[in-house]
Amino acid sequence: MRVLLVGSGGREHALAATLARSPKLTALFIAPGNPGTAELGTNVAIGASDVPALITFAKEQKVDLIVPGPEAPLVAGLADACAAAGLACAGPTQAAARLEGSKSFSKEVCYAAGVPTARGERFTDADAAITYIAERGAPIVVKADGLAAGKGVVVAQTVAEAQDAVREMMTQGSMGEAGRSVVIEDCLVGEEVSLFAFCSGETAMLIGAAQDHKRIGDNDTGPNTGGMGAVSPPRGFDRAAQEAALDLLVRPMLKEMARRGTPFRGVIFAGLMLTETGPQLIEYNVRFGDPEAQALLLRLTSDLLPALAALAQDTLDTTPVTFSDQAAISVVMAARGYPAKPETGAVISGIVDADALEGVRVFQAGTKENLAGELVVAGGRVLSVCALGETVQEARDRAYAGVKAISWDGAAWRTDIGARAL
Ligand code: AMP
Ligand code: GLY
């Protein structure tokens, strides 16, 4: 099977490594990929959201399956363009990708489907939002309505902080168009976990779960990021609990989407809070998580390729998804200044040494080769250093040994990934 994988982050490097293990794979292209994916297949210089160029390339290369990594191409209509061109795509249509692309839309679907979620209201007027926050009180959550790469959410501890966030997003345009309308939500309290499932129409098959670490700083301090590290499986959320959450938070949504004539196909990633009164949905994403995928996929023992190929044919593969009982950790190494203003250009050393450590695997994200052929920092999240272990403790020790082996000027990482899962 000839596969075109779309994206360039750590998740895509991990997906490439997982697909490369499949006996069914005959060719792997990655658009645009990164220096890490270049070792597993052929990088193609096409941007992840350049839908027409992706389609032209896939037709020329007789690609059998397109695997989208990030959400942007899906929200831009990649799956629809594939369908029109007779190409198979393991991701949702533009209409179904609105589950991630619009927070107000996904709220509306939750309400219609009876999925437990925080109470929220959408505002297009800053003054009305500011008044609502004063009435509702803190803690309270302010979210840019559109896509903001995980950075458009402020969990405010005070009314003033929430109101400032509204002014920044709506009046000063800090999130661009994504923040012209906002959703203001009640704050959910509990452990946050990420649940993944293959979905086709009204049916869903559990993949597994992981726990992300969203804040930039240790002990969950500082601003939200795209994710600074993940552990799989998360503590206190076993397979039975994951299946129950799928019944409560995913299957009713699938039914509602099908009823609306916009059935969902692909990988669903439900971000949820394990509250005192049970799991509540925080958000749907229409793809694998980054850095959750890196940890989750390290544990996967079944073949990912047939599972993805089945999704593209609007079915579920009959082979169950299987995992090793080991724990996996991914620790993101980021550039100094991330998430606000990452510093790029520093030369990275030590990846080969880290990869040589037992159980360790380094996935690249914001990296590139400079003119001298050196690997340099080219983005905010630079690497995810991942490890498997018999226990979370062992996986952590191994991953952090990997981190220690790698260096560049300005490397930053959290030191507490997986600590709560111990
Ligand atoms: P989202 O982009 O909706 O996933 O939000 C990003 C992060 O903000 C989530 O992963 C949570 O950590 C946090 N968050 C979002 N909504 C809520 C909420 N209603 N209550 C508490 N935390 C939230
Ligand atoms: N790690 C969260 C995300 O991929 O959105």
Side-chain angles (χ1 to χ4, degrees), residues 151 213-217 225-229 291 330-346 348 363-367 376-385 400 403 406-415 417:
K151 291 158 220 158
H213 297 64
K214 304 240 174 202
R215 304 293 190 107
I216 187 74
T225 68
M228 292 300 291
S330 61
V331 178
V332 169
M333 295 183 76
R336 181 162 55 213
Y338 177 75
K341 212 165 172 278
E343 280 173 36
T344 58
I348 304 165
F363 296 115
Q364 299 187 30
T367 59
V376 298
V377 173
R381 292 191 293 174
V382 181
L383 304 172
S384 31
V385 182
Y400 279 108
V403 168
I406 296 173
S407 61
W408 72 84
D409 178 34
W413 62 88
R414 279 181 62 161
T415 63
I417 304 302

Side-chain angles (χ1 to χ4, degrees), residues 103 118 141 143 153 155 185-188 192 214 224 273 282-283:
K103 294 197 187 290
V141 183
K143 301 184 173 189
V153 174
V155 181
E185 265 183 32
D186 289 357
C187 191
L188 298 170
E192 187 175 345
K214 304 240 174 202
N224 264 332
M273 196 73 89
I282 297 171
E283 61 165 354

Side-chain angles (χ1 to χ4, degrees), residues 77 82 88 140 144 194 239 301 305 310 331 341 344 369 377 387:
C82 286
I140 194 155
S194 306
R239 290 294 284 188
T301 47
L305 185 48
V331 178
K341 212 165 172 278
T344 58
E369 270 184 20
V377 173

